[in-house]
Amino acid sequence: MVDLVATDEQQQIANSVAEYLRAELPLDRLTKKGKANSDTDHAKWKAMAELGWFGLGLPEEQGGIGYSEVEEAFLYREMGRLLVTPSAIAASLGARVAAGAGNGELAAAIISGEVRPAITIATSVGEVGPRVSGRYQLFDGAEADLALFLSADGAALVERRALNDLKVSRSGDDALSLELADLNGAPTVAYVGADAGIRRNGLLLAAAMLAGMCEATRDMASAYAKIREQFGQPIGKFQAVKHKCADMAIRADAVNALVAFASITVRDRRADADFQVAAAKLLGAQYALLNAKENIQVHGAIGFTTDLPAHLFLKRAHVLDHFGGAVRRQQMDLLAQPAA
Amino acid sequence: MNLDFTAEQDVFRAEVRDWLHDNVPKEKRPIIGDETLVYDKAWQKKQYDAGWAGISWPVEYGGRGLSLIQQLIWFEEYAKAQAPYLGNFFVALSHAGPTVIARGTERQKAYHLPRILKGESPWCQGFSEPNSGSDLASLSTRAYVDGEHLVVNGSKIWTSFAQHADYQELLVRTDPDAGSKHSGITWVIGDMHLPGVDVRPISCMDGASHFCQVFYDNVRIPLENVVGDLNAGWSVAMTTLGFERGTAALAEQIAMAREIERLIELSKTRLGPDGVRPAIKDDLIAARLATLRAECAALKAMSYASISRAQRDFVPGAEGTLIATYNSEMLQRVYRMGADLMGDEMLDLDASEDRWTYEYYRSTLQTIAGGTSEIRRNIIGERLLGLPRDR
């Protein structure tokens, strides 16, 4: 029967993830040392793997935990709230690519955290097939063993050491390192075609993270609006601020409901799954960017500093927007879909 | 979490679809004038005769008593069948009737409920006043008790359907000396045909008269028409807000999704801004259409989520306000898109039978009626986010 409320079990998963992340990967890990980086995330990589996160949505016969894309979306929403490295997405997708390509050993190694993949974003027209060509940005890949490549044609894993002449560049997201790769027929360790639906899974996970970021920025802004006083009253009492916070709440609710809906359509392999996922990814990115910007605005000058993680939500939203195709691309893809 | 319907629900859906297919009026609902009343009465009567009147009303009061999911199915099919807007019966079915059910006397119920369901008596809402809009509780239309009557003097405004209504849910100030502005208000059933009631239609920007101003000059309303207690009217008015728990809004949202698909089709045939290619080849137009599709998908998901929570008897929070705000502002973007796709011809109201410009003008009311966007954002900020009140 139609039901968009989390089951007790799903709620428990979300709660336990949230509890773990708040304790082990609090947001201040990204502001404490003066320089944001994802070291802490990688220090906890094995621990996250042992909690089963990277195999959560994979069937047991593929070495996964046997939950579905629905529970996985809850997991990634919570990760989004705490700005966990997008390498997690690379792991969940990489395990699927390896399993889909018949390399169960590699899938198991990714799920257990032994082997660590990172995401890439194409900057040229390339080719993702049994071999990979083109120019790519590799995010947070310094400690990675594999790089994940996605395109409309399929998904592939390439060993980091096969990425010749990696060039370090300055990342638009302070918390993530950036290297540039120029590949010309690099060999893959696993490749699956478009029908495996890896890109769709990736868009959904990114959308779920963006949904969590919409919530986190909403909460951060309204918490601050309650305590920051000017003109003798909390700034949240002024409608100019209150209404900004209300808009952030509307956007967070819209994206969250859509991500939940889309995750069910993916799990159930419904005909409108591509439609719903493209919609979720495009709204997720638009709204996370807006919420991040307004969160900085509500905080005023402190929001512009690196003392607070507010800027990191904006920057991460841009990374996730470009992952799997940015808003304009999602708009084209969504318009090409039949009506849902 | 699930999006499936049970076999039983599928059977119900088929029954609804078949009935609507055979019975939805073939001719479009007229937009203005007394023809709307004739049309709306006939459609309501037809639903009543077939047992489909008051689908969310309890069975003991003549309603159909559908479960929330059945209501969801009804409204989805209602929208898909392009069944007409309730028009003159909107207030009676979605607010006045449910209020009488919740707080009325047995006599009030026995008299009014069948008349609503059978399509005999349309109602209007007498809440807003010239000096009391968003600040409704400041209302000052005065009523004093004189023997067995309330004697009403004052004026109500922005009253939709007042020119056709037989009855009115009327809020009056019965105790001007009560401690707070929320106390001292009474909810009373006003007969629109009583001596001293003067209804004057107000001309509106879309060319159709949507509402009226109503004047009361020593109008004598029997005390037995008071619903709830004297001076307890505010709580009566609040009783049935959100009565349908978001199921009725779903029909509007599905209708909006259909409008967006029509716009996408329209953009393939209308000439774009370059005067050469179809409009959809224009990047900005394509981007707007795609975003509307995505937003409408989100709106449906929000409604499904809200109905799911209601099913589990969760106490409704401000989520209905979130949805209403998103919905109303999206509707404005949809019709603005339609007007834009008409290009220069948007200036010619007769250029298209689809009346995009008219709908665009009309949609500006969306963020005012039933709570302005600004008041809604206050509610979201204060009740949902816990920000401090400023009033």
Side-chain angles (χ1 to χ4, degrees), chain A residues 168-191:
Chain A
V168 174
S169 197
R170 275 206 300 166
S171 171
D173 180 338
D174 315 30
L176 306 175
S177 69
L178 171 62
E179 294 162 284
L180 306 179
D182 194 349
L183 306 187
N184 189 5
T188 56
V189 290
Y191 162 74

Side-chain angles (χ1 to χ4, degrees), chain A residues 71-72 80 100 127 139 173 178-179 247 252 256 259 261 324 330:
Chain A
E71 290 77 15
E72 209 173 34
E127 197 184 329
F139 281 96
D173 180 338
L178 171 62
E179 294 162 284
D247 281 328
N256 265 291
V259 164
F261 194 100
Q330 300 304 329

Side-chain angles (χ1 to χ4, degrees), chain B residues 74-93:
Chain B
W74 165 265
F75 284 115
E76 283 190 345
E77 292 303 322
Y78 194 91
K80 282 184 198 156
Q82 308 199 30
Y85 166 57
L86 297 175
N88 286 284
F89 283 88
F90 176 79
V91 172
L93 286 163

Side-chain angles (χ1 to χ4, degrees), chain A residues 285-320:
Chain A
Q286 278 184 335
Y287 288 2
L289 284 168
L290 278 168
N291 271 22
K293 194 234 164 228
E294 296 293 37
N295 183 37
I296 294 171
Q297 182 69 24
V298 167
H299 279 83
I302 187 84
F304 186 69
T305 70
T306 55
D307 289 349
L308 285 187
H311 69 115
L312 295 172
F313 281 98
L314 181 86
K315 294 167 178 174
R316 182 62 54 81
H318 279 296
V319 173
L320 292 175

Side-chain angles (χ1 to χ4, degrees), chain B residues 331-352:
Chain B
L331 204 63
Q332 293 180 341
R333 291 193 290 277
V334 168
Y335 287 116
R336 174 64 198 271
M337 184 79 246
D340 285 353
L341 284 175
M342 293 304 293
D344 298 333
E345 282 185 305
M346 77 153 284
L347 301 171
D348 175 359
L349 296 177
D350 291 330
S352 161

